[in-house]
Amino acid sequence: MPDLRQRTKESNGAGDASYASVVANGDTLIHNSNSSSPTPSSDSDSSNGQTGVHKPSGSNSPPLMYKAIRFFFKVCLHSFYAHVEVEGTENIAPDNYPAMLVPNHSNSLTDAIAVLATVPPQSRSMIRLTAKDTFWHQPGIFNYVIKNVGTVPIKRRKDYDNQKVDNTGSMSLVIDSLGNGNCVCMFPEGISRYHPQLAPFKAGVAMIASDTLSKYQDQPDFSLTLMTASINYLHREKFRSDVVVTFHAPIVLTPQQDQKLFSSNPEEKNEAIRKLTALLENTVRSTLLDAQDWQTVRIGHTARRLYGGDLGTRISLGQYVRLTRKFVSAFGQHKQETAEAGVTHAKNREILEVRGDEGLQSTEADSLDMKQPVKMDAEVAQKIDKLAEALSDYQDQLDFFHLKDYRIKQGRPSAKVLVAKLFQRFLLACLLSTICIPGLVLWAPVFLAVKYQEGRLRRKGPLEDNLDEIAQYKLMIATFFLPVIWGFWVLMTLPISLFTGPGIVILMWLTIRWLEDLIHNAKSMLSLLRLLFMEEETMVSLRDCREELAQRVNEFAVQYLKLPEDPEELVRENRTHKANSGWFGRLSGSYFSIKRRRRKDWNEVMRLHDVTNYD
């Protein structure tokens, strides 16, 4: 039989692959607790021609309320974040296939919004969420929404003074729902937090999988699909930032192949549950920007810019994240026995064996896949330490002068050119400021309320306990104020409300787009002013430092991270690039797009300076 890992990579590279073909071709990662290696599915199935797939009769079509909320969530997500990219949708088990969706949890209720908004309805029409049961005891718009989308309440010990809680009823509801072919989403970290590192997974998902297989073990065609997902927010709380959601190859469990998960031997069962939990954790971690501290994330971004500074948005957002992760993983894990992300203890080596020597693969097979662990001996570790220190110093200088790396690479233009560019941007700023004024009057209550709530959260307590809620509260405030603002102005213009109704919506959205361009233009003006008054010696010193550092980064990237010598290869591997068609497409793509601002690079936010600190 062909190697499972190779077939998985080939399947994930096919953009038009469906889940049915993935399973039929054996292109799944099947966790077999009875062995130490992947077990491919067989070539036959008595019920539907596909092993590892259970498809009960009946319909799981979502109620109208769920459809409305899903549409609302999608609008919220794509309005708050400038670019939302989704990878691996072919790995989503379709309706009536018992499945559990297992993502990371770093952005409070926004994670639930991201899950419901990015799973295509044609792939899975309904996802049942789990949430802390305190939502059922508190008023609020989001609490009402959560309770009306088929969410299952879960009691947490921290909400009950760390007393023992009983979730027997909730777990039975989840298991019965899976038996009916539903998909249930659970966040195994158990808590959302503002932290650069994935929290250790709790065993809840694996325990539910164990109980589900045990309950339906007499059904020969029963299977349970575990779908892991990685949600990467580049700036989770920043308005108009970017997010990428990656759905990994499914893990198919069957009673025949995974008997240890419900073994009568407690030690054997607990060991199988532990292994499955670790496998889920490492799969989710495999495409996350995961690090021990925010400084590691910061220098990882700096290294990525020096290696592929000219790539910009010509590579996909997913490629951008995986490229940055290459450096973050190396800088963050070089003191461990291996640099493979997710292997933080020697006892977890066996988890890599479950998927083979090549380790955990990303959804797309390209130059950014870590094909093998990078060996880090003492000499290499020392070299990485020195490189990390140099990158941090260089980024500190960029932050001090409030300049981007590409400005240093291009050098300082003549004073005449700088003055001409400043005048051009000044005229554009005047134009954008003028056309933004009417819309800013409408947006003022939202902006003021958001600013107040954000400041309150930052003063509330430990950052990792509160900052993950900022995006959630921004969405809640906008959800409350926008209908009120719209209704007020429609009533004020009642004689012509037929025109002002849709006109207000259009004006408010265009204001956001114009404001994005205005802030970017103002940021550019500030950079040009700094270049105009910067001494030539300072610029020469920065350029020399950059050239020397870029050479070191490129050598490290090619030799140790196995990246291509020519970063342009990543552009050729970009499967999401779509050229603008026709004169209107080229015009809107080059000058103004209604959907999002035309950007040179990912990871830009609506600020007058680059946000390079993530803590």
Side-chain angles (χ1 to χ4, degrees):
M1 181 169 288
D3 184 76
L4 175 63
R5 290 163 287 159
Q6 182 63 33
R7 288 185 289 109
T8 301
K9 290 188 291 183
E10 291 172 356
S11 168
N12 289 337
D16 59 349
S18 65
Y19 177 82
S21 64
V22 168
V23 175
N25 295 329
D27 295 327
T28 57
L29 293 176
I30 300 181
H31 169 77
N32 186 353
S33 58
N34 299 322
S35 65
S36 60
S37 60
T39 303
S41 57
S42 60
D43 298 328
S44 63
D45 184 90
S46 58
S47 61
N48 52 23
Q50 297 172 4
T51 293
V53 177
H54 171 59
K55 189 174 182 180
S57 59
S59 174
N60 286 312
S61 59
L64 184 60
M65 171 67 77
Y66 180 91
K67 293 181 179 179
I69 290 175
R70 181 178 59 200
F71 174 77
F72 173 72
F73 279 179
K74 189 170 184 178
V75 172
C76 287
L77 189 71
H78 286 268
S79 298
F80 188 85
Y81 295 102
H83 187 83
V84 179
E85 187 170 297
V86 186
E87 300 179 316
T89 54
E90 70 274 9
N91 295 318
I92 299 174
D95 287 338
N96 297 317
Y97 288 66
M100 295 186 71
L101 182 57
V102 186
N104 57 301
H105 198 19
S106 62
N107 206 7
S108 195
L109 290 181
T110 312
D111 292 329
I113 294 175
V115 167
L116 294 186
T118 56
V119 174
Q122 61 271 24
S123 297
R124 195 86 198 194
S125 61
M126 184 173 181
I127 305 288
R128 297 197 69 174
L129 298 169
T130 55
K132 57 184 180 180
D133 74 325
T134 54
F135 286 123
W136 275 255
H137 311 308
Q138 300 172 354
I141 296 176
F142 268 71
N143 297 354
Y144 173 81
V145 168
I146 287 174
K147 291 183 288 187
N148 285 272
V149 291
T151 308
V152 179
I154 302 293
K155 294 180 180 179
R156 304 186 306 175
R157 294 185 63 175
K158 65 170 293 185
D159 298 324
Y160 291 88
D161 298 325
N162 287 323
Q163 300 296 317
K164 186 176 181 179
V165 295
D166 183 13
N167 280 308
T168 305
S170 297
M171 294 302 100
S172 297
L173 181 60
V174 169
I175 293 171
D176 291 341
S177 180
L178 292 172
N180 291 326
N182 288 318
C183 179
V184 178
C185 176
M186 294 192 72
F187 298 97
E189 290 176 88
I191 185 173
S192 172
R193 61 179 191 156
Y194 191 88
H195 197 273
Q197 193 167 41
L198 187 72
F201 275 18
K202 301 183 184 300
V205 172
M207 293 174 67
I208 291 175
S210 169
D211 292 341
T212 303
L213 293 180
S214 177
K215 182 173 182 177
Y216 298 101
Q217 61 180 299
D218 294 332
Q219 298 185 17
D221 66 333
F222 184 83
S223 70
L224 176 62
T225 302
L226 302 183
M227 306 179 298
T228 52
S230 301
I231 309 174
N232 276 288
Y233 303 92
L234 298 189
H235 289 283
R236 68 194 79 183
E237 83 285 8
K238 297 290 191 298
F239 186 47
R240 304 301 288 169
S241 54
D242 305 312
V243 56
V244 56
V245 182
T246 302
F247 295 97
H248 302 281
I251 301 170
V252 181
L253 306 176
T254 65
Q256 292 76 24
Q257 294 179 329
D258 298 280
Q259 295 178 12
K260 287 186 178 181
L261 281 172
F262 54 94
S263 171
S264 57
N265 184 332
E267 293 184 0
E268 187 177 56
K269 175 181 175 180
N270 291 337
E271 179 66 10
I273 288 175
R274 185 190 68 81
K275 286 186 177 181
L276 178 57
T277 301
L279 175 60
L280 293 170
E281 178 181 333
N282 283 278
T283 307
V284 172
R285 192 192 305 271
S286 66
T287 53
L288 285 179
L289 287 179
D290 187 79
Q292 298 176 351
D293 51 64
W294 291 112
Q295 177 64 9
T296 303
V297 177
R298 180 175 182 252
I299 62 176
H301 279 287
T302 305
R304 184 258 313 149
R305 280 190 291 268
L306 289 170
Y307 168 74
D310 295 331
L311 297 177
T313 53
R314 292 185 297 142
I315 61 174
S316 71
L317 181 56
Q319 288 178 295
Y320 173 95
V321 169
R322 291 193 293 278
L323 177 58
T324 307
R325 177 186 170 272
K326 278 276 194 177
F327 292 101
V328 170
S329 176
F331 292 128
Q333 300 294 332
H334 71 274
K335 293 183 180 180
Q336 304 294 337
E337 293 183 352
T338 174
E340 180 63 27
V343 183
T344 57
H345 301 285
K347 66 179 182 180
N348 284 342
R349 287 180 181 175
E350 61 195 54
I351 304 305
L352 288 180
E353 294 176 2
V354 174
R355 288 197 166 187
D357 297 334
E358 293 185 4
L360 299 168
Q361 300 295 335
S362 65
T363 301
E364 296 179 359
D366 54 25
S367 301
L368 301 179
D369 288 332
M370 186 171 286
K371 299 177 176 58
Q372 59 184 2
V374 179
K375 304 300 180 182
M376 294 293 174
D377 54 26
E379 182 181 354
V380 176
Q382 185 178 12
K383 186 175 182 179
I384 293 178
D385 280 334
K386 292 182 179 179
L387 179 59
E389 184 179 355
L391 287 169
S392 180
D393 291 341
Y394 175 66
Q395 187 60 59
D396 288 341
Q397 294 184 70
L398 293 180
D399 292 345
F400 177 80
F401 291 106
H402 291 289
L403 292 174
K404 287 188 174 184
D405 174 68
Y406 82 90
R407 297 280 190 189
I408 306 301
K409 182 179 181 180
Q410 291 177 350
R412 182 177 179 272
S414 65
K416 182 178 179 181
V417 172
L418 288 172
V419 171
K421 288 185 176 181
L422 278 168
F423 181 71
Q424 178 186 15
R425 282 162 175 73
F426 173 76
L427 294 179
L428 180 59
C430 291
L431 172 63
L432 291 172
S433 300
T434 303
I435 61 180
C436 276
I437 291 176
L440 288 176
V441 173
L442 299 177
W443 277 105
V446 178
F447 290 160
L448 292 175
V450 164
K451 195 66 179 177
Y452 169 79
Q453 183 63 28
E454 182 175 357
R456 182 171 169 270
L457 284 173
R458 290 182 180 274
R459 295 188 300 269
K460 186 177 178 180
L463 292 180
E464 67 177 44
D465 292 338
N466 297 294
L467 286 189
D468 63 300
E469 297 182 353
I470 289 180
Q472 162 193 322
Y473 278 104
K474 286 181 177 180
L475 289 171
M476 291 173 63
I477 290 170
T479 301
F480 172 77
F481 273 102
L482 290 180
V484 175
I485 294 171
W486 181 83
F488 173 80
W489 287 104
V490 167
L491 289 176
M492 292 292 292
T493 58
L494 196 58
I496 55 172
S497 60
L498 187 64
F499 300 100
T500 56
I504 290 171
V505 176
I506 295 172
L507 175 60
M508 294 186 74
W509 175 250
L510 286 177
T511 300
I512 292 298
R513 282 292 300 104
W514 292 329
L515 189 60
E516 281 187 284
D517 290 342
L518 175 61
I519 292 176
H520 174 73
N521 185 73
K523 184 193 301 185
S524 179
M525 288 180 64
L526 292 174
S527 296
L528 292 173
L529 279 172
R530 295 184 186 101
L531 288 175
L532 183 62
F533 294 102
M534 177 180 284
E535 295 181 0
E536 185 64 28
E537 292 182 0
T538 303
M539 173 57 72
V540 172
S541 175
L542 284 173
R543 288 199 71 185
D544 291 343
C545 175
R546 187 199 181 281
E547 289 179 3
E548 187 268 339
L549 194 54
Q551 183 177 358
R552 291 169 61 186
V553 168
N554 285 323
E555 290 177 357
F556 175 75
V558 174
Q559 184 175 357
Y560 295 103
L561 302 186
K562 311 302 181 183
L563 289 169
E565 294 185 20
D566 182 10
E568 289 296 321
E569 289 186 23
L570 301 180
V571 178
R572 293 188 285 271
E573 293 174 357
N574 182 6
R575 301 176 178 87
T576 64
H577 178 70
K578 295 180 180 179
N580 293 315
S581 58
W583 68 270
F584 182 77
R586 289 190 295 271
L587 181 65
S588 62
S590 300
Y591 296 98
F592 181 80
S593 171
I594 294 178
K595 189 174 182 180
R596 66 177 66 91
R597 187 179 68 79
R598 182 175 61 90
R599 297 186 291 182
K600 291 183 178 179
D601 200 1
W602 302 113
N603 202 20
E604 294 184 357
V605 294
M606 291 178 65
R607 294 291 189 276
L608 290 176
H609 58 85
D610 281 339
V611 180
T612 61
N613 291 312
Y614 297 83
D615 52 1

